[in-house]
Amino acid sequence: MAIALKYGEGNDPSGEIIAGPAALVEDRQFTIEGRCEGDGVGFEVVTADAERRVLAEGDFRCDDPPTGEFSYRLQYAGVVQVNLLDADDVDRAWVRVVQP
């Protein structure tokens, strides 16, 4: 569905955000997966349109990355984007939205 990446040191010098091309299916469960090197990272899942409405958010520690514990079922259909938040203390990170 969507993925956000950070690699390198500093204040997100080389982050990438990829939205789509798949669209979230309404009322079907999706999960957040991720990994990082450093302390921890936050994320938000937003609509990939001009409104950029926050659909889900959370954070995880790098030594205990999410393995499906962030699961959601929403009344929304469409393309989403995932953003890294509070990523200053990580050298590398990725977070993605997966909907089987």
Side-chain angles (χ1 to χ4, degrees):
M1 305 266 92
I3 190 166
L5 308 169
K6 178 188 176 184
Y7 43 93
E9 296 180 19
N11 189 14
D12 200 22
S14 53
E16 295 180 28
I17 299 170
I18 302 164
L24 201 66
V25 176
E26 183 176 350
D27 202 29
R28 190 163 112 196
Q29 184 171 327
F30 68 92
T31 59
I32 306 297
E33 299 176 349
R35 297 266 185 223
C36 59
E37 293 178 6
D39 291 334
V41 68
F43 65 86
E44 68 178 1
V45 179
V46 299
T47 58
D49 56 16
E51 188 177 333
R52 296 183 45 81
R53 184 171 48 121
V54 176
L55 300 173
E57 59 188 335
D59 56 59
F60 62 91
R61 295 190 46 77
C62 295
D63 58 358
D64 188 26
T67 54
E69 67 263 23
F70 294 104
S71 296
Y72 305 91
R73 187 181 303 261
L74 301 173
Q75 299 298 312
Y76 173 78
V79 179
V80 295
Q81 176 178 317
V82 61
N83 300 314
L84 295 176
L85 305 174
D86 302 322
D88 293 342
D89 294 330
V90 296
D91 293 331
R92 299 175 198 202
W94 62 265
V95 177
R96 68 180 178 175
V97 177
V98 179
Q99 188 177 52

